[in-house]
Amino acid sequence: MPTSPLPPGSTLGILGGGQLGRMLSQAASRLGFDVVILDPEAGSPAGRVSARQIVAAYDDPEALSELGRSCDAVTFEFENVPAASVERLAGSGARVAPGPLALSTAQDRVVEKTFLNDAGAPTVAFASVDTVEDLKAAVQTLGLPALLKTRRDGYDGKGQAWIRSPEDVETAFAAIGGRPAILEAAADFVRELSVIAARRADGEIAVYPLGENSHAGGVLRTTIAPATASAGTQARAHEIASAILNGLDYVGVIGVELFELADGTLLVNEIAPRVHNTGHWTQDGCVCDQFEQHVRAVVGWPLGPTAAHARIEMTNLLGDEIEQWPALAAAPDVRLHLYGKAEARAGRKMAHVNRVMGPA
């Protein structure tokens, strides 16, 4: 991949028109770039704040060719974009980041966990599952409770089922549609952490402070950052993030979700090859937020500073919680980030708020 920086006035393409694409587009515009969105939904949240949107499926050959021709660099906002589409863009000579390897690795949980362990970023024990018989054998090996997940496509708690007794095996396999899966041993963790990191094509790496996360129903509710953590824990998270970035020859921002065990050990839960919900705190806690950082990495600019100047509590607003916006907009210690979505469905991420808790 080229390492020379693209000048302001260049065009950045983004596969995906949701809230992450919207915030990426806003960051790119602030740096002087034009943005083209490819998304199948006309008038997408990202499309409405960008120079142009191509309305087409992510695997549409003509749309991908048009995107590649009209953009100096291309990135994506979520990991379920077809890896073949990214390969097609890269094969045509487009500057694409992150690359197909990162995307294909993150799209398959078995491949992902195998890569992580090989890279020195340990995970819980796991087993690949294709049939009910595979699942029964895996339960015997890993023990219970254990978490069954589809190998592909699951997010925000979807495509998952807990197995707490042998009688749950067939029900759990049916609950995920009998699809190829992974069984993960339960992690006896004391808290969930995450680290947001970035890498340029020349190998430069920048890592943000740890965030501490709380989930409900498989969906992130809050992140507090910087998390209270020892220097050793911070250093280990930095080491894990760097090993992942270098192992994937990664370019861009990545989110790494971690389990902290009682003895301080960090295990990787999963990676997200993109800007990440747990990094939204950086918008109001850092000089260079994760969205600007991703754009900088993709277009070859120097990476920005990652030190926190404020401690932030980020809270997702789901569904009709968006109706709280008048009160939140009036709060002196809150900054409101709205996603421009028309319909407030139950559980849908509509916005987030960053509450300033004081200096970092």
Side-chain angles (χ1 to χ4, degrees), residues 298-325:
V298 170
V299 303
W301 284 24
L303 297 181
T306 56
H309 58 71
R311 195 157 191 250
I312 302 293
E313 180 185 56
M314 188 285 303
T315 302
N316 280 325
L317 299 184
L318 308 180
D320 61 8
E321 291 174 354
I322 190 63
E323 300 304 325
Q324 301 171 25
W325 71 263

Side-chain angles (χ1 to χ4, degrees), residues 124-127 135 138-149 161-169 172 182-189 259:
V124 296
F126 66 96
L135 183 53
V139 164
Q140 288 292 320
T141 301
L142 299 181
L144 296 177
L147 183 57
L148 183 67
K149 300 178 180 178
W162 277 99
I163 300 176
R164 303 186 186 280
S165 72
E167 291 73 28
D168 295 338
V169 167
I182 183 173
L183 187 70
E184 298 177 359
D188 187 18
F189 61 91
F259 294 134

